[in-house]
Amino acid sequence: MASRLKLLLAATGFAVFMQPALAEPPRAVVELFTSQGCSNCPPADALLVEYSKQPDIVALSFPVNYWDYLGWKDTLAHADFTTRQKEYAHGRNDRQVFTPQMIVNGKKSCIGSDKAQIENAIQMTLKGRTKLPVDIAVSEENGKVAISVTEVAEPVRRDALVWVLPVMRSQTVPIERGENKGKTVTYANVVRGLKRVGEWTGGSARFEVPVETARSGADGYVVLLQTAQDDRPSVILGAAKSSGL
């Protein structure tokens, strides 16, 4: 009997060991608005690479296109990312749009290369929490991404949009002209699109999107649960990232 018990415990322990690790709930989403034509951006790009390696941070690069006239057209930029940055500024009522600019949890604007300022913004937006207030889990089954939003007891806004963002894990770009001429810069978690999946109105909820749509040819994807103010992006309540990001 004792030997059987030992074998059972060993087998159980092995089964637990073989289970995949649960993703760490993120404490922050940091969005870097950057440009290959901005001489101040490479230090911020390097800092975002650091943040992308932290399991409790969802780090995203949003290359913008408004510096393209300086002599080098950003090879990763998209007009939608410029629009997103401007909408954040309108929502804050400060109209401050610059590079490198980091937006923390959809709320606080920081200089993208100032780690101390960014960390302070994370703490301010968490308001004493250790993570974002709404838990989100993602899984892939039958060719679809299943997005599960967990009901929360604490008082938060209960109206938010669910977004899926295809993401390239890493992109290295040699820059041939402009302010960064001769530099080669590596960009982490480069966003390739913004896809609205549905609307969350509180409680537990499940959303689905085809894997092909979520990835759109990229390496993975990020899910954001984000409030809106006058149709502009605002506070981020929850986030999750696919494996490999």
Side-chain angles (χ1 to χ4, degrees), residues 139-146 206 208-211:
S139 61
E140 295 182 15
E141 49 193 64
N142 300 321
K144 293 184 178 181
V145 176
R206 177 185 170 96
E208 289 186 348
V209 61
V211 172

Side-chain angles (χ1 to χ4, degrees), residues 96-168:
Q96 291 185 358
V97 173
F98 58 89
T99 56
Q101 184 176 36
M102 194 86 83
I103 304 298
V104 176
N105 288 337
K107 185 67 176 176
K108 297 291 290 184
S109 168
C110 306
I111 297 172
S113 55
D114 191 332
K115 187 173 184 178
Q117 188 181 95
I118 294 165
E119 288 294 328
N120 183 59
I122 291 173
Q123 294 305 314
M124 290 178 63
T125 56
L126 284 175
K127 298 180 180 179
R129 304 183 187 97
T130 59
K131 61 182 182 65
L132 293 174
V134 180
D135 290 335
I136 297 177
V138 295
S139 61
E140 295 182 15
E141 49 193 64
N142 300 321
K144 293 184 178 181
V145 176
I147 304 166
S148 298
V149 182
T150 302
E151 183 175 10
V152 292
E154 62 179 293
V156 296
R157 278 188 59 176
R158 292 176 180 270
D159 58 312
L161 300 175
V162 181
W163 296 88
V164 172
L165 287 61
V167 172
M168 298 296 292

